[in-house]
Amino acid sequence: MKLVLLGPPGSGKGTQAEKLSKEFNILKISTGDILRDAVHSNTELGRRVKEYLLKGRLVPDEIILDLMSQKLGNLKGFILDGFPRTLPQAIGLEKRTDIDFVVAFVLPNTTVISRLSKRRVCIKCGAVYSLDANPPLRKNICDRCGSKLRIRDDDKKSTIRKRFLVYKRETKPLEDFYKKKKILRYLDGNGSADEVYRRLKKLISNKV
Ligand code: AMP
């Protein structure tokens, strides 16, 4: 299965990608995770993209397309979380491979903003928690590896606003792009991660 998950920041794409990836043993590729890792490890890529991430701006298409072309190789199946995010990226992806489904997460802005402000991530292993829906057992400590949790740099209030504007301007138009190709499916992203996951599986059931 070749699947793209599309949705605003905080819509739950990453969580759902992780669940699908585990259950069906399909590789999940999250550009946000790859870029954050590169920044933390201070690699050449990390140094090139750091400022974009901090400011909630999109990393230039050439850098992303280069990165994805290495990651995708000749993979027969994948779940893409956070890519494509612009029309040139969607066109670049289309040139490389066919996509089965694009799932667009639908939920109100107020819900996603509230989710982002409650998101905490582990500084070491990258595990993601929600203070509401999925809190750590010990305050600010990762259940998985015992390291400290923190707010993602780009989940600060001013950056969240910027990321939303960028999403609306650059990424939302991809819905029309994929609608025309008849591979777009809308997913109600409200509710718990398990509820959304059940809906998601139903939506793509003839492909997994
Ligand atoms: P995410 O974790 O998907 O919210 O991504 C975090 C940040 O990484 C974004 O705000 C962008 O700065 C950068 N980023 C991730 N994916 C892309 C992409 N496909 N194109 C450009 N920038 C990206």
Side-chain angles (χ1 to χ4, degrees):
M1 177 181 54
K2 294 181 175 175
L3 180 68
V4 168
L5 302 184
L6 206 63
S11 55
K13 304 183 298 292
T15 305
Q16 298 300 327
E18 183 82 27
K19 280 175 166 289
L20 276 180
S21 165
K22 276 200 184 128
E23 182 171 348
F24 297 100
N25 198 21
I26 306 167
L27 183 70
K28 170 199 94 154
I29 305 176
S30 159
T31 41
D33 286 349
I34 297 170
L35 297 170
R36 270 186 296 280
D37 276 354
V39 171
H40 289 141
S41 322
N42 195 25
T43 61
E44 195 201 325
L45 172 67
R47 289 190 290 276
R48 286 172 78 193
V49 303
K50 186 174 178 183
E51 284 303 305
Y52 295 101
L53 267 76
L54 266 178
K55 292 182 179 145
R57 292 173 53 202
L58 290 184
V59 171
D61 289 333
E62 313 82 75
I63 298 182
I64 296 289
L65 284 167
D66 228 34
L67 172 73
M68 288 309 284
S69 136
Q70 292 166 34
K71 295 282 169 194
L72 289 172
N74 290 319
L75 287 175
K76 301 244 174 325
F78 49 71
I79 303 161
L80 302 182
D81 158 30
F83 172 86
R85 249 170 155 113
T86 64
L87 203 53
Q89 290 182 18
I91 292 168
L93 174 63
E94 191 179 37
K95 282 187 189 148
R96 277 204 74 91
T97 185
D98 286 331
I99 297 295
D100 295 314
F101 284 136
V102 176
V103 174
F105 286 56
V106 182
L107 65 181
N109 277 1
T110 45
T111 310
V112 279
I113 289 172
S114 148
R115 277 192 195 173
L116 288 174
S117 64
K118 288 172 188 152
R119 177 158 69 185
R120 297 291 182 275
V121 292
C122 174
I123 49 171
K124 196 154 174 224
C125 74
V128 182
Y129 298 86
S130 157
L131 297 185
D132 267 356
N134 166 34
L137 296 172
R138 283 179 297 159
K139 196 174 172 205
N140 275 331
I141 302 290
C142 178
D143 295 347
R144 213 195 275 173
C145 75
S147 303
K148 269 201 177 148
L149 302 181
R150 65 177 178 83
I151 299 178
R152 244 171 71 171
D153 288 332
D154 58 353
D155 280 347
K156 309 239 158 87
K157 270 216 174 88
S158 54
T159 319
I160 288 178
R161 211 170 310 128
K162 171 82 186 160
R163 287 164 68 208
F164 267 92
L165 288 176
V166 169
Y167 178 78
K168 215 167 139 193
R169 195 180 58 220
E170 305 284 346
T171 311
K172 184 99 175 125
L174 294 187
E175 287 178 15
D176 276 342
F177 177 81
Y178 288 119
K179 218 184 269 172
K180 283 189 192 127
K181 299 188 183 298
K182 301 196 183 342
I183 52 172
L184 185 78
R185 305 271 189 281
Y186 284 106
L187 173 71
D188 175 3
N190 278 295
S192 71
D194 287 342
E195 280 163 7
V196 177
Y197 188 54
R198 274 194 291 275
R199 272 180 232 134
L200 172 59
K201 280 204 288 186
K202 230 184 242 169
L203 208 60
I204 59 173
S205 55
N206 57 342
K207 277 288 171 188
V208 287

